[in-house]
Amino acid sequence: MTSDNKTADTDEKIFIGKGEQTAWLALALANRHGLVTGATGTGKTVSLQVMAEGFARAGVPVFAADIKGDLSGISEVGEAKDFILKRAGEMGLNFQPDQFSTVFWDVFGEQGHPVRATVTEMGPLLLSRMLDLNDVQEGVLNVAFRVADENGLTLIDMKDLRSLLDAIAPAGGRKGPDAEEDPYAEIRKAAQSFGNVSKATIGTIQRQLLVLENQGGTKFFGEPALLLKDFMKTDSDGRGMVNILVADKLMQSPRLYATFLLWMLSELFEELPEAGDLPKPKLVFFFDEAHLLFNDAPKALLDKIEQVVRLIRSKGVGVYFVTQNPIDVPDKVLAQLGNRVQHALRAFTPRDQKSVNAAAQTFRPNPKLDTARVIMELGKGEALVSFLEGGGTPTMVERVMIRPPTARIGPITLEERKAIMNKSPVKGKYDTAVDAESAYEMLQKRVAGTAAPADAANGGGGGGILGQIGSIVGTIFGTNVRRGRLSTGQVIARDVTRSVTNKVVGGIVADLGKSVGGSLGSSVGRALVRGALGGLLRR
């Protein structure tokens, strides 16, 4: 064991703790994901901080949700308190205080840089989850997105989606020769061609949008939208930037919190190229209060989560779930989490005892340990640890004392936070919202009679730029064929890897972007990937 904090971690592994054996987390296997569990107050946040510090030292950017504000201390120099010095000495460490370059993010833009996404980027599946829609309502929302794609109506913020839903709702009022001309007639007809779209269903979705708006969703949807490459940076010393999502207020809207983080994972999956096995991850993502992601999630969403977690490893991203109990995580996802840190669990009821036994069974047994008994005996700062080794197999479970963090333990002050934000590398980039012309403005022009019909504006056939390109890609991949038995072309297209699809679509979008630009240009790729690729994967 070395005697220096900075050299305790090596270029190949991170020193996490020490018991009878030293617990090392191999960087080359860190993208095989992980799990940090334990009851409240047992040290999960400190373990998370120790891991984040290790990754940052190794030059790996980190993104972590900070539920209680305790993780913010990683940005300030640690304090050599007696209990820290004692624990460091027991492990052979010469404690040296440290701090890490940190960027704060906040969906509400209050304690960090604003985080925004467009409605188009979120897509109908995740938005339905966020709004808690049933199958019928989700179907209508899919119709709305399809109509928007085919008519070149860019969906950026909440008012865009509201105005689109109003436009596809069945028209009321007078009919016959005295009726006023309906500016949305073509849009309504297009929507009804995909199936029955009732005013009652539209009304329910609008009410759910109001609930989301009241929870702060209005601030989340808009531009400038977050560029995920801003998470994946190193500082001037070559250390990974630590990105902290301020989530104390966001946790008051748990569905928004969970869906936002799932959206981030999905975006990383879509945007990053295949990387294979790397010496260290490109990014490590810590998902605190992970049970919120899975609570009441429909099967389609659980399948998507399992798919993203399973496949994002090859993009060089490691995902670490932090929750109270392993049984909070579905078995399919749990099976993907190879690196485990288990803090104490308490068993006051028969159900608690069952949870302890289930947690013990997730580890590779150690004949020297009664894992189920030890889980209930662990003190604060102690944990049962099993990390992947050489061949990707888990080590036998070991009881270890987690090493002390080198940065501050606990929250920073408001003044310290402001000072960090003033020196932030993304200062000014996201701080001011931009309201570009999008679906709301386009539909208002229709009402005012200043907008030409879609067919006339685009040469008479195809429903706008997105519709024309969607038709081309749909022909290539067979997604514009009526559902039923798949053609040979569709079967082949469905089995084509996502990376190849992205290259095809990316080439089209790159050429188009030069002439379109702006919000519409940025949404074309989303529409194509969601339409062509989404259609393939759902079959």
Side-chain angles (χ1 to χ4, degrees):
M1 183 67 61
T2 60
S3 59
D4 189 305
N5 283 322
K6 297 181 181 179
T7 57
D9 299 328
T10 74
D11 293 336
E12 299 178 352
K13 52 190 178 181
I14 301 171
F15 172 47
I16 301 297
K18 187 178 181 182
E20 287 191 13
Q21 301 290 330
T22 302
W24 297 96
L25 174 56
L27 287 168
L29 298 171
N31 66 333
R32 305 292 177 92
H33 312 316
L35 182 68
V36 181
T37 55
T40 301
T42 56
K44 294 194 301 295
T45 302
V46 171
S47 292
L48 192 161
Q49 182 170 334
V50 166
M51 295 171 76
E53 289 182 4
F55 282 120
R57 282 195 196 94
V60 178
V62 172
F63 177 89
D66 190 11
I67 302 298
K68 303 185 292 292
D70 292 346
L71 195 57
S72 60
I74 199 172
S75 62
E76 298 294 332
V77 178
E79 302 173 50
K81 296 182 178 179
D82 290 343
F83 76 93
I84 291 178
L85 294 175
K86 179 181 178 182
R87 183 177 298 184
E90 292 172 349
M91 296 182 177
L93 293 173
N94 180 21
F95 180 79
Q96 294 183 357
D98 204 352
Q99 66 184 128
F100 298 84
S101 299
T102 305
V103 179
F104 291 103
W105 303 89
D106 184 358
V107 168
F108 304 101
E110 296 172 358
Q111 301 182 66
H113 300 293
V115 181
R116 300 185 190 89
T118 66
V119 172
T120 294
E121 287 174 327
M122 181 62 67
L125 177 62
L126 293 183
L127 192 57
S128 296
R129 157 71 169 168
M130 191 180 290
L131 298 174
D132 195 21
L133 303 183
N134 62 29
D135 290 344
V136 174
Q137 294 153 2
E138 182 182 345
V140 170
L141 195 61
N142 273 279
V143 168
F145 273 74
R146 179 66 177 270
V147 170
D149 290 346
E150 294 189 349
N151 287 271
L153 299 173
T154 312
L155 300 176
I156 294 177
D157 52 27
M158 296 287 273
K159 69 179 186 298
D160 289 329
L161 184 56
R162 279 195 175 280
S163 59
L164 177 63
L165 289 170
D166 287 337
I168 68 172
R174 293 180 298 172
K175 297 182 179 181
D178 295 332
E180 295 181 2
E181 182 179 353
D182 181 5
Y184 300 146
E186 293 180 9
I187 294 176
R188 298 188 208 277
K189 183 178 179 181
Q192 293 297 333
S193 70
F194 295 112
N196 182 38
V197 176
S198 70
K199 294 189 77 170
T201 302
I202 295 290
T204 301
I205 298 174
Q206 293 279 32
R207 288 191 294 274
Q208 291 299 93
L209 284 174
L210 178 61
V211 173
L212 183 60
E213 288 172 354
N214 290 340
Q215 293 180 350
T218 304
K219 294 184 178 181
F220 175 56
F221 291 106
E223 288 188 323
L226 177 67
L227 297 177
L228 294 181
K229 66 181 182 181
D230 285 332
F231 285 159
M232 305 176 68
K233 293 183 176 181
T234 55
D235 63 15
S236 57
D237 295 325
R239 290 181 165 194
M241 297 292 294
V242 179
N243 299 275
I244 294 181
L245 175 70
V246 181
D248 52 350
K249 184 177 178 181
L250 185 60
M251 280 301 298
Q252 298 173 21
S253 309
R255 192 174 293 273
L256 176 60
Y257 166 76
T259 309
F260 162 68
L261 292 186
L262 179 57
W263 164 76
M264 277 192 55
L265 278 180
S266 299
E267 288 294 290
L268 287 167
F269 177 71
E270 295 285 356
E271 292 187 10
L272 294 179
E274 292 288 330
D277 293 324
L278 300 173
K280 60 185 179 182
K282 293 181 179 179
L283 174 72
V284 172
F285 186 103
F286 288 96
F287 198 142
D288 202 359
E289 299 293 338
H291 64 279
L292 296 173
L293 182 61
F294 308 107
N295 284 354
D296 303 320
K299 184 180 184 300
L301 185 62
L302 288 176
D303 289 344
K304 179 177 178 63
I305 296 169
E306 189 268 335
Q307 179 196 45
V308 170
V309 170
R310 176 166 46 86
L311 297 178
I312 202 171
R313 176 190 67 79
S314 63
K315 306 295 184 89
V317 177
V319 182
Y320 288 72
F321 293 98
V322 184
T323 189
Q324 291 199 11
N325 199 301
I327 64 174
D328 294 336
V329 182
D331 289 344
K332 284 187 177 180
V333 177
L334 195 62
Q336 309 296 325
L337 312 181
N339 299 298
R340 307 282 181 90
V341 178
Q342 175 69 63
H343 288 274
L345 292 175
R346 310 304 179 202
F348 300 116
T349 67
R351 184 179 182 277
D352 292 339
Q353 184 63 55
K354 183 178 179 180
S355 298
V356 169
N357 292 331
Q361 291 169 10
T362 64
F363 287 102
R364 178 182 169 187
N366 184 339
K368 298 180 181 179
L369 290 178
D370 181 348
T371 307
R373 178 179 59 81
V374 173
I375 286 178
M376 296 185 288
E377 296 177 350
L378 293 170
K380 187 173 183 179
E382 281 190 299
L384 289 173
V385 171
S386 175
F387 294 138
L388 297 177
E389 57 183 357
T393 57
T395 59
M396 288 190 296
V397 61
E398 293 284 350
R399 181 175 184 170
V400 304
M401 182 66 72
I402 302 297
R403 67 170 288 179
T406 55
R408 183 188 300 177
I409 299 175
I412 61 175
T413 65
L414 182 60
E415 290 72 24
E416 289 171 330
R417 186 184 297 270
K418 288 181 178 178
I420 291 170
M421 290 183 62
N422 284 334
K423 296 184 294 184
S424 170
V426 295
K427 181 183 178 183
K429 185 171 183 178
Y430 299 104
D431 297 336
T432 303
V434 176
D435 189 8
E437 182 177 78
S438 48
Y440 173 79
E441 289 79 13
M442 295 174 187
L443 292 170
Q444 288 297 308
K445 285 183 180 180
R446 283 179 179 258
V447 174
T450 59
D455 285 350
N458 295 287
I465 295 173
L466 291 174
Q468 294 177 42
I469 298 179
S471 177
I472 295 170
V473 176
T475 301
I476 295 172
F477 290 105
T479 55
N480 55 4
V481 180
R482 291 184 63 184
R483 287 187 179 274
R485 183 176 180 181
L486 297 180
S487 67
T488 302
Q490 286 175 296
V491 172
I492 295 173
R494 183 183 59 188
D495 295 334
V496 173
T497 63
R498 192 178 286 257
S499 59
V500 173
T501 304
N502 283 334
K503 288 180 181 178
V504 174
V505 174
I508 298 172
V509 176
D511 293 337
L512 178 71
K514 297 176 183 178
S515 58
V516 178
S519 302
L520 178 58
S522 67
S523 69
V524 171
R526 299 288 173 196
L528 291 176
V529 172
R530 189 180 64 245
L533 213 153
L536 291 170
L537 295 178
R538 284 172 179 267
R539 290 172 182 267

